[in-house]
């Protein structure tokens, strides 16, 4: 604790670090792209193009998993900015719970979605060769029944993540355009 005559030598950051911002925005684009490709490829007839897009989807999933791990390590080792007191005090308690709960669930799904996809691919007997260069080990042994169980779980988790991303974006836009409290500036590069 500081006293009035003693300055705080380790003040809380006001904005996210450049690395945190980069990881946030790269993951946002990667997640939206992987989700879109996954939706698009689902209804395609079997073809070389479908196989190519499935591989891109898998590569994106593995990349999202790696970036999520990096993001989690960065967050655990670099103190993120707290909500400004004026904003937190103005929020009803349900919004504070939703704010923290949404972030925790998104982090959980950053890992669950790609891991379920990897497990599904392995159970189906299809290897993942990251960017066509690095063969990854099977997450589980080939098992058609397990693959049938994992596929809808992967899809459900992906839809859950997209729903939370939508909620996150809606909250950010509310803060920017309705509350006009500048909260979004904490994650905007170049500010």
């Amino acid at each position: 604790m500081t006293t009035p005559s003693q300055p705080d030598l380790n003040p809380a950051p006001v904005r996210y670090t450049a690395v945190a911002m980069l990881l946030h925005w790269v993951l946002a684009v990667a997640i939206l792209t992987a989700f879109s490709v996954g939706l698009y490829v689902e209804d395609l007839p079997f073809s070389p193009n479908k196989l190519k897009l499935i591989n891109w989807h898998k590569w994106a999933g593995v990349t999202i998993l790696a970036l999520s791990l990096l993001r989690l390590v960065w967050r655990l080792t670099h103190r993120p900015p707290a909500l400004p007191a004026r904003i937190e005090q103005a929020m009803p308690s349900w919004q504070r719970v939703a704010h923290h709960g949404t972030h925790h669930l998104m982090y959980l799904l950053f890992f669950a979605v790609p891991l379920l996809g990897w497990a599904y691919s392995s159970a189906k007997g299809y290897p993942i060769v990251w960017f066509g260069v690095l063969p990854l080990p099977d997450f589980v042994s080939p098992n058609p029944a397990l693959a049938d169980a994992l596929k809808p779980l992967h899809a459900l988790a992906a839809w859950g993540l997209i729903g939370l991303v939508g909620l996150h974006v809606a909250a950010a836009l509310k803060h920017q355009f309705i509350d006009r409290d500048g909260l979004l500036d904490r994650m905007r590069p170049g500010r």
Side-chain angles (χ1 to χ4, degrees):
M1 183 180 286
T2 61
T3 62
S5 62
Q6 179 186 6
D8 187 354
L9 299 177
N10 194 12
V14 176
R15 292 173 37 84
Y16 284 89
T17 64
V19 171
M21 285 184 220
L22 178 67
L23 289 169
H24 175 274
W25 293 109
V26 169
L27 271 169
V29 169
I31 288 167
L32 291 174
T33 301
F35 182 79
S36 298
V37 170
L39 275 182
Y40 176 72
V41 78
E42 186 68 24
D43 293 328
L44 287 180
F46 185 78
S47 68
N49 187 50
K50 181 172 183 163
L51 292 175
K52 178 179 73 171
L53 291 173
I54 288 171
N55 279 323
W56 288 0
H57 180 74
K58 290 179 186 184
W59 299 343
V62 172
T63 303
I64 289 166
L65 185 60
L67 290 173
S68 296
L69 181 59
L70 181 60
R71 183 175 181 180
L72 180 61
V73 168
W74 186 264
R75 183 164 183 125
L76 293 173
T77 59
H78 294 78
R79 189 166 132 185
L83 279 175
R86 64 183 166 71
I87 293 173
E88 189 158 9
Q89 290 167 358
M91 293 171 100
S93 61
W94 71 267
Q95 280 185 0
R96 282 193 296 278
V97 169
H99 165 77
H100 294 293
T102 300
H103 280 92
H104 287 102
L105 283 172
M106 280 195 302
Y107 268 89
L108 175 69
L109 291 173
F110 289 162
F111 292 94
V113 173
L115 288 173
L116 284 166
W118 188 351
Y120 165 69
S121 188
S122 296
K124 197 76 174 161
Y126 301 138
I128 298 176
V129 183
W130 199 22
F131 295 108
V133 176
L134 180 63
L136 300 179
D138 285 336
F139 201 66
V140 297
S141 299
N143 181 329
L146 180 59
D148 289 344
L150 289 170
K151 185 176 183 180
L153 290 177
H154 175 62
L156 183 64
W159 277 104
L161 179 57
I162 288 301
L164 289 172
V165 166
L167 184 61
H168 180 69
V169 169
L173 293 175
K174 174 198 171 283
H175 280 283
Q176 184 68 18
F177 297 111
I178 295 173
D179 298 343
R180 297 180 187 266
D181 56 19
L183 190 64
L184 185 62
D185 290 337
R186 299 174 341 139
M187 188 53 85
R188 285 174 56 188
R191 288 272 166 194

